[in-house]
Amino acid sequence: MNVARILPVLINHYQNYRLAAKPHYRSSALADLMWCNIHDMLRGFGITQPSWIYGIAALVARLPAQRFAEQLLVFDELVGKAGLPTGSRWICSQFAPGLRIDGPQPPRTGPLLVVANHPGLLDAAALIAALGRTDLKIIAIARPLLRALSNTAAAIIPVGTTPTGRMTTLRMAIRHLQQGGAVLTFPAGRIEPDPARDPTAIMGLAEWSTSLDLFGRLSPDIPVVTAIVSDVQAPAALHHPLTHLRREPLERRWLAAILQVLWPHLATNPVRIRWGPPLVANTSLRSTVQVVAEQLIRQVTPIEYRETRPWH
């Protein structure tokens, strides 16, 4: 398949036939995506009640929510037609001025476990684009937004909500690895600070899941690579006056992410990925990747933050 030829054709198809001109695009997927986007946008601004204010705000958010929903549908169509890396490269191009990749390229074939931090926004898409593997599975919470993207959802290993469910998730991932596939996991299990923007990013390593050791116990000798993603959060968004509407740092970061979706021009730096050296899974995999991740974070952290105390 000639990706260079099919990509502009697919993009042109969606951009020329807009929702208003083609009623059949009013699919349940688009409606679901719009609702998810409106909910996330209003949550970012802290608008939850009263109902009449929420209703007015939802009307105001409808247009940008629809625009983002249509972009997500283009992404998902590209995933279905040309593969996950192609769709991810396209969505990254819509919200960031490029990718900067440092360190040894992980294997393009064969079993591979990628352990990464999770600063949000484009981190997963950037990692998928940089890996370039169509056999990649991502361990992630099966959020409504992902369920509305049928092609993308096929690449998700859903995170269980019970101990039994989490063990099922682990077994699905290990089975995929044993079949020669690649798996991407975010052991923090939540959005983390951007190492290029927040000196507390390194402290979050202590909260990385102990399930990493289970990978080594149940599937020893699987190749492992640690990845640190940074520069996903734009300074212009983080310091935008609107972020002062929220008090807590986490809430401000979430609102800054919403602002970047609304105004992609705020992002002026390429997303940066730094790969760690190749490792092999063992029963102390968690501590091993934590050490590598700390080294990688210190390499991308601004000089004024580098005296931050270690995570352990």
Side-chain angles (χ1 to χ4, degrees), residues 21-70:
K22 292 288 182 179
H24 65 269
Y25 280 119
R26 293 186 180 275
S27 63
S28 60
L30 182 57
D32 290 345
L33 288 170
M34 286 181 62
W35 173 248
C36 289
N37 294 340
I38 289 172
H39 175 75
D40 286 345
M41 288 175 183
L42 299 192
R43 182 164 66 92
F45 281 93
I47 301 173
T48 57
Q49 58 182 347
S51 59
W52 67 271
I53 292 181
Y54 188 93
I56 293 173
L59 287 174
V60 173
R62 183 179 177 84
L63 185 59
Q66 176 179 316
R67 182 176 65 247
F68 186 41
E70 290 178 341

Side-chain angles (χ1 to χ4, degrees), residues 13-207:
H13 173 76
Y14 274 92
Q15 289 181 337
N16 287 341
Y17 298 96
R18 308 298 292 176
L19 178 65
K22 292 288 182 179
H24 65 269
Y25 280 119
R26 293 186 180 275
S27 63
S28 60
L30 182 57
D32 290 345
L33 288 170
M34 286 181 62
W35 173 248
C36 289
N37 294 340
I38 289 172
H39 175 75
D40 286 345
M41 288 175 183
L42 299 192
R43 182 164 66 92
F45 281 93
I47 301 173
T48 57
Q49 58 182 347
S51 59
W52 67 271
I53 292 181
Y54 188 93
I56 293 173
L59 287 174
V60 173
R62 183 179 177 84
L63 185 59
Q66 176 179 316
R67 182 176 65 247
F68 186 41
E70 290 178 341
Q71 288 174 307
L72 290 173
L73 286 179
V74 173
F75 159 73
D76 195 57
E77 179 72 9
L78 289 171
V79 171
K81 296 291 185 180
L84 198 58
T86 298
S88 296
R89 283 191 291 271
W90 181 81
I91 201 70
C92 284
S93 73
Q94 303 301 296
F95 295 99
L99 296 178
R100 176 183 172 184
I101 303 172
D102 302 309
Q105 175 66 39
R108 297 283 189 180
T109 60
L112 177 68
L113 176 64
V114 179
V115 183
N117 66 323
H118 191 26
L121 281 171
L122 291 175
D123 57 2
L127 286 164
I128 294 166
L131 281 167
R133 294 190 56 155
T134 57
D135 63 347
L136 181 68
K137 298 286 187 181
I138 304 99
I139 298 176
I141 297 173
R143 301 187 186 280
L145 185 144
L146 282 175
R147 290 197 294 268
L149 302 172
S150 59
N151 295 313
T152 307
I156 301 299
I157 297 176
V159 174
T161 57
T162 65
T164 300
R166 287 189 287 273
M167 184 55 67
T168 299
T169 299
L170 181 65
R171 288 181 178 138
M172 291 174 65
I174 289 175
R175 186 180 308 117
H176 185 64
L177 289 167
Q178 291 173 340
Q179 292 171 349
V183 171
L184 169 61
T185 184
F186 300 101
R190 60 173 179 80
I191 300 297
E192 301 173 87
D194 187 328
R197 308 282 176 251
D198 193 325
T200 67
I202 204 167
M203 305 303 298
L205 296 175
E207 300 177 18

Side-chain angles (χ1 to χ4, degrees), residues 254-269:
W254 176 255
L255 180 51
I258 296 298
L259 296 179
Q260 279 186 240
V261 171
L262 293 175
W263 304 311
H265 67 274
L266 293 176
T268 57
N269 296 323

Side-chain angles (χ1 to χ4, degrees), residues 96 98-103 117 119 122-123 126-127 130 194-197 227-233 269-275 296-302 306:
L99 296 178
R100 176 183 172 184
I101 303 172
D102 302 309
N117 66 323
L122 291 175
D123 57 2
L127 286 164
D194 187 328
R197 308 282 176 251
I228 292 298
V229 187
S230 60
D231 286 289
V232 297
Q233 297 177 337
N269 296 323
V271 175
R272 184 176 184 182
I273 296 174
R274 181 170 285 272
W275 301 118
L296 297 177
I297 287 176
R298 292 193 181 279
Q299 291 171 13
V300 302
T301 299
R306 290 186 183 174

Side-chain angles (χ1 to χ4, degrees), residues 229-251:
V229 187
S230 60
D231 286 289
V232 297
Q233 297 177 337
L238 288 169
H239 303 299
H240 194 281
L242 286 174
T243 60
H244 293 289
L245 293 172
R246 309 312 307 272
R247 294 181 179 179
E248 298 297 325
L250 182 60
E251 294 174 344

